Amino acid sequence: MFQRLTGGGQVSIVDVRTPAEYETTHIDGAVNVPLTVIESHAPQVAARLDGDVVLMCQSGTRAEQARRRLTAAGAGGLRVLDGGVEQYAVTGGDIVRGRARWSLERQVRLVAGGLVLAGLAAGLRAPKARWLAAGIGAGLTFSALSDTCTMGRILSALPYNRGPRDHTPAEIIDRLPAITA
């Protein structure tokens, strides 16, 4: 995919991570359209995408979710960048680095692990507290089976995961290149 991004053809890169993740590291020239915006405004986003479009995130999971949503809304020519921004950097791609923040996947692992440990520790005094660990385990299992992440969606709404200023969905969509006939 690296050669396709740098080799001659016109390619639009859409980064579906949170604004904070985008601010931390992104591919030079990528447009940030968070997955939450795509989920709630897929037809409007799909209407603005034309030609070769590469969707990317940290690992590929959110980009694949975005691809499915946008394809269902009528977008074509969508590809997912395997390995995300860090793999792109390793292969020599131009990236922009800003203020360092934890990726959403890392935040999910921290919160899920912390809740499991808290549930097990509290379970030493109150055995019913172990149900917290069971609930987190069930949630992670559902997350894997459905290829969604409710905890990630909740965490992405926290102030830490916002960019320097919140943009409205309309402002985000307006950053996409307009289709010319």
Side-chain angles (χ1 to χ4, degrees):
M1 185 59 75
F2 171 70
Q3 291 174 331
R4 289 212 24 91
L5 292 180
T6 59
Q10 183 68 5
V11 177
S12 298
I13 304 167
V14 177
D15 188 326
V16 303
R17 298 174 303 152
T18 66
E21 289 175 295
Y22 178 84
E23 181 186 5
T24 297
T25 306
H26 63 270
I27 295 173
D28 193 21
V31 177
N32 183 224
V33 182
L35 181 59
T36 55
V37 171
I38 291 170
E39 289 173 340
S40 60
H41 295 83
Q44 295 94 326
V45 174
R48 295 292 296 261
L49 301 177
D50 190 28
D52 248 352
V53 177
V54 176
L55 302 169
M56 57 86 44
C57 64
Q58 189 70 24
S59 65
T61 301
R62 287 178 279 171
E64 180 57 31
Q65 291 171 9
R67 188 195 63 76
R68 286 194 304 261
R69 286 251 186 188
L70 292 169
T71 299
L78 303 176
R79 292 183 173 72
V80 172
L81 178 64
D82 294 328
V85 69
E86 291 305 322
Q87 180 61 35
Y88 183 76
V90 166
T91 58
D94 291 331
I95 61 168
V96 177
R97 293 197 185 272
R99 179 177 161 213
R101 298 185 195 202
W102 282 18
S103 71
L104 195 58
E105 285 88 352
R106 186 176 181 189
Q107 293 174 54
V108 167
R109 291 191 306 266
L110 173 70
V111 171
L115 288 171
V116 167
L117 286 174
L120 292 174
L124 295 173
R125 290 227 188 255
K128 288 185 179 181
R130 285 187 234 149
W131 284 104
L132 175 62
I136 296 298
L140 291 172
T141 301
F142 176 78
S143 176
L145 294 174
S146 64
D147 200 20
T148 61
C149 187
T150 302
M151 187 181 294
R153 189 168 289 114
I154 292 167
L155 290 172
S156 71
L158 295 176
Y160 177 82
N161 289 311
R162 296 184 191 144
R165 136 176 139 70
D166 278 343
H167 295 280
T168 67
E171 289 173 322
I172 292 169
I173 293 167
D174 283 345
R175 281 190 247 149
L176 291 168
I179 295 176
T180 56

